[in-house]
Amino acid sequence: MVSLLTDASGWGGFYFTTNHVFNLGVGFAADPHVYGRVWFPCIDTFDDKALYDFFIATDSTKKAFCNGMLLDSLLLPNGKRQWHWKMNHPIPTYLACMAVSGYKTYKQTIAGIPVEIAGQIADSNRIKNTFTHLPDVVNAYVDAYGPYPFDKIGYSLVPFNSGAMEHATQITIGSAFIDGTTTYETLWAHELAHMYWGDMATCKTAEDMWLNEGWASFNEAYMTEKVYGLQAYKDHVSATHKYVLQFSHIDDGSYLTMNNIPHAYTYGTTVYRKGADLAHTLRHYLGDSLFKIGAKYYFNNRAYGNASSADFRDDLTTATGVDMTRFFNDWVFTPGFPHFSIDSVVFVPGGLDHYFVYTRQRSKGNNHIYNMPVDITLSNGVDDTTYTIVIDSATNSFHIATLGVFDHFMLDLNEK
């Protein structure tokens, strides 16, 4: 593979192989990370958005795929073929794309949305079997986030072994990940989630990249729930949470806030994995109904524009009626983590059985006190009773008056 221009990480730029020409619009080590400038003159920032017309001339045996919809394909006097693609929605420079090869187009329609996958003739069965759950995922995203924001869903298969890139309407993805199984379906689902989280509403600056990548990573878990059920979702979230607690501060050099991410860690563990962890927490903080209302308002309000963490906070507050100031102060604008635990329980019998539950809050990576509603479940091995308490101090006490005798007391049993 010969690259016209890549950044120091080798991820991002313009690539030429024997049978493919394609770009990847982000340079992990580039400054700025947006990488439209490797192939056209532009104001290369996250918040400069434009409409696009692409005119790509290829050998007559090749096809070009770009953002948007194909308007025409003209045979030129010199025997070349010119492909005219038009992107009807404004996007930033890093989301503009092209891919050229001897492609065959695989088409279908899902929920009224045209789907075009560009692969080789030999890829037919692999594409069909890899994307077997695409209709489920599309419908789940539309239900949660609103109408699909672009003219089509597209993927271009390329010889790239380090992942995929969320080019708007025409995702560029390594052919190795379209292997005829569901092994890599969280990858194509992650990139499809970007059509909302990043492509429709884009972070204003790289420092707020969790609005793009953290939410796309969360949607790996969300699609897992919609395809495989709640326990599969919980298992995915738990694995992410464990990794974040163990390694985020090591991978990224320290405990970081979700905003103001240093340039070197724009695409690091805090952004991707802690961002996904935080999205899960926010979902359960609001509950699914308000979560969807808030997300849909955010996308409607920021459609084809940009947002900061503060903008996202304010949109959620407006849409849900829940003041999200404290939540964002605790979880977005503060580094590190809280830990909530039951310190002790005192039982006082007589009439209604009275329990006095004492909790403790500790922190790692900060000296901050969180304010958080947490479920507490009382169990006798047969019956469970769950209450919601608000932990807002280093130590709290809660008086729970209830019938029955319980010998197990658990915080956050449902892993919210």
Side-chain angles (χ1 to χ4, degrees), residues 344-349 353-358 398-400 409:
S344 59
V345 178
V346 175
F347 172 58
V348 180
D353 294 323
H354 297 271
Y355 293 89
F356 291 89
V357 179
Y358 298 88
F398 302 95
H399 176 206
I400 300 176
F409 301 81

Side-chain angles (χ1 to χ4, degrees), residues 359-377:
T359 62
R360 185 176 297 275
Q361 176 178 167
R362 296 177 175 88
S363 60
K364 188 71 172 177
N366 63 61
N367 295 311
H368 185 74
I369 296 295
Y370 290 69
N371 183 314
M372 194 67 181
V374 182
D375 284 353
I376 181 170
T377 299

